[in-house]
Amino acid sequence: MIVDYQARKNEVLALADAVEVLIEDIKKSTTLSNGKEFIDLTGNVSTLLKDMRSKAERVKADRFTIIIAGESKSGKSTFINAYLGVELLPMDIKQCTSSIIEVKYGDKFSVKATYAGGHQEEIVGEDDAREFLKKNAALDDEYRDIPVPTINSEILVKSGLRSRAKGQDICIPEYEVKELLKSKEIQDANIYSLSDYNERIKNYINERKNQWKSIVTKIEVFFPFEDESLKGIEIIDSPGVCARGGVSEITSEYIEKADAIIFLKPISGQALESTPFNQFMKNSSVAKNKNALFLVLTRATSVTDSNLRRLEEEAHKQFNMLDTANILIVDSKAELYVKYLECVENIEEELCRLNEQGDLDDFVIKAYSETTGIFASKNILSFIDVLREKSRFNSVYNGLNTLGRKAHYLSLHSLLETIEKIYTKLSMDFKTNISLLETKVEDPTALSCKIGKTKKELEVIQNKMSKGVNQEAQHFTGLDGLIQCTAETLENDFKQTVNTIDADSDDAFDQLETASLKIVEEFQNITETLQEDVINRFDTTLTTLTDKKSISFEVLRPDFTEDIFKELFESTESKAHIDVYESGGTFKKTRTRSNYSRNKHFRIVKENILNRLETIKDDMMNILFRFVNSIQERYIDELKKNADKKKGELDKIMELKAEAKELIEMIKKLSEFTEKLEMAKSQVRTVKGGISKYVQ
């Protein structure tokens, strides 16, 4: 299988490299003459490419990530040390992990710490690294019974970052602490029913709030493992879950990306209660990765062999949501003894030394006496075999190795799925672009006809601007224009009307008044009518305004009414007298007397009205001349807009004609690439089909 995996791995990585080559080829081939990329690959498949590259690096490294979760004091650190065969993490039974710890291969033993304040610290050298881990990888005894990781992340770190963003010292609202204390997760974590539980949490917050920046949020441990099989493995030691199996947001993120999830639970000291583990499985990240989940019951040497068998049967029933192969019972300390004593030259001397120091566990003494003492029936080498049997770690190695190889094939399968998505996305985009281009690209001959037609339309608009507007204006404002002709006609008609009035008739002045008021009204009406005529004629001959509501119509307001006529009549009456002479005879003197003349009065009033009418006529003409000039400017602006729009159309058509050849060539290239993409996708599917049998 190893040979087969290496061949498959190389084949899949070659397919990933082929994507990169094809992408570069597409970029070069689809770049337009103006330097712009026709296909925006950055926007289209950038996320998929990033995902593909990340997965390819993972495949190259043969990385296998194991996250260790479990209740507090479940022996996570001891399990990790036993699996790695090196005592890297503190294993004091009174302590538990206080932050995320990542253990991975490195050229030298070193530690990198990330703090809540954002700064990092690197500790190099075995002594300093171990000392740092001893101080920072576990909780202080004083606070080992409260959920420190949750308090750190939910209260201290969040409040600290929020206050720093505001430029203030840390401020923790009292209501947030109250809500934390009332939360189910915090209350469930009080597994010892401590009476001062809430006070301990408050004291911890008060003591540590000003040092929030120094809270270690992540520790990366690098170690030069000699075992080649460990070089691609990353182990994540997570903070302990609460009594009900809840996990933090950070732990959930690691679980989602893990290849294997190991939940540790002591087999001794408490009943095989399933609530915490069941709750842990309900976490969405765990649910997504359920097939990679192992339940590992620790401290197997703390119970007798008969009880161990009974507990194993009980565990299979209790945790029946898992395959029995994924429920393991181990003893991490026994495995540590195995790996340590295998490297010791004189095992007996070393056991005696450990016993004198009080560091030797009873199960080791018992195993040694069974193999070398009075009960012995085997040689000294079988002592290690007994310890190995007690550790039961072969089940862990076998389970993880099987899962690891499956995980590697899953990585290949996942990488192929991303490659297939890239090809599918590009192929769909290319087909869409081909359809769009086919609707855009027109026959060069048809484009030439469009250009000719648009040029003529532009010439018509330009002629209207240079000649047409003036011609239409002259129609109204010229010497023989409609405005002057209409005004003179009205005036002449009025003169003709009043000239026919008999000045000596009794109703002469009534007729004159009626005719005068009528002509004034006609001048007013014709002013409005001619303004409408101007708009209609310009619309018909030139172009229609897009916004007629903004046109201002001017109203003629002549100062002539019945009252004014009466006033005029009365004010001129005194001037309507004529002198009459009587010649003297022999006995008479010659004398003069003044008599009122209706005829003269009529003439005076008529002349006055004609003069007023002349003014009204001039006002009307001025109003209309101004209106025509204003409208003339408006229509010139409108024609300019139309001309600019038509020029834009012409430029666009000209550009289309210039690009037509390039776009036709682009259609050809995209069609060729579409065929290549479909062929490449078919190849990916074939390889993926061959790998599927390993991941089912």
Side-chain angles (χ1 to χ4, degrees), residues 441-483:
V441 176
E442 295 187 40
D443 181 71
T445 304
L447 285 172
S448 296
C449 292
K450 277 190 177 183
I451 291 170
K453 180 183 177 183
T454 307
K455 281 182 176 180
K456 288 180 180 178
E457 291 171 350
L458 182 58
E459 287 175 5
V460 170
I461 296 173
Q462 290 170 336
N463 286 334
K464 287 180 179 180
M465 288 172 61
S466 61
K467 298 177 182 179
V469 174
N470 289 332
Q471 288 175 354
E472 296 309 314
Q474 284 295 313
H475 173 75
F476 291 97
T477 61
L479 292 176
D480 297 324
L482 187 59
I483 294 172

Side-chain angles (χ1 to χ4, degrees), residues 261-263 277-278 280-281 286 289-296 315-328:
I261 308 163
I262 296 179
F263 187 95
F277 182 67
N278 288 342
F280 177 76
M281 286 192 66
V286 177
N289 219 352
K290 182 180 175 181
N291 292 332
L293 176 62
F294 289 88
L295 172 62
V296 176
H316 289 163
K317 294 177 182 178
Q318 186 84 298
F319 305 106
N320 56 15
M321 71 290 292
L322 285 182
D323 190 301
T324 55
N326 284 28
I327 301 174
L328 311 176

Side-chain angles (χ1 to χ4, degrees), residues 77 88-90 95-102 111-116 119 121-123 127-140 148-149 152 204 208 211 213-221 237 239:
S77 297
L88 285 180
L89 305 181
Q95 297 175 322
C96 66
T97 305
S98 62
S99 64
I100 287 286
I101 300 177
E102 299 179 2
V111 172
K112 182 188 288 185
T114 300
Y115 294 87
H119 63 287
E121 179 184 6
E122 187 172 7
I123 301 93
D127 293 340
D128 291 339
R130 288 189 184 280
E131 183 64 24
F132 180 88
L133 289 172
K134 185 177 180 181
K135 289 181 178 179
N136 295 278
L139 298 174
D140 294 338
V148 168
N152 284 347
Y204 177 81
R208 301 300 172 91
Q211 288 82 43
K213 293 181 183 178
S214 61
I215 293 174
V216 179
T217 56
K218 184 172 74 172
I219 298 174
E220 295 174 86
V221 182
D237 185 10

Side-chain angles (χ1 to χ4, degrees), residues 272-287:
L272 285 177
E273 198 265 324
S274 61
T275 301
F277 182 67
N278 288 342
Q279 190 65 32
F280 177 76
M281 286 192 66
K282 289 180 181 178
N283 180 277
S284 59
S285 300
V286 177

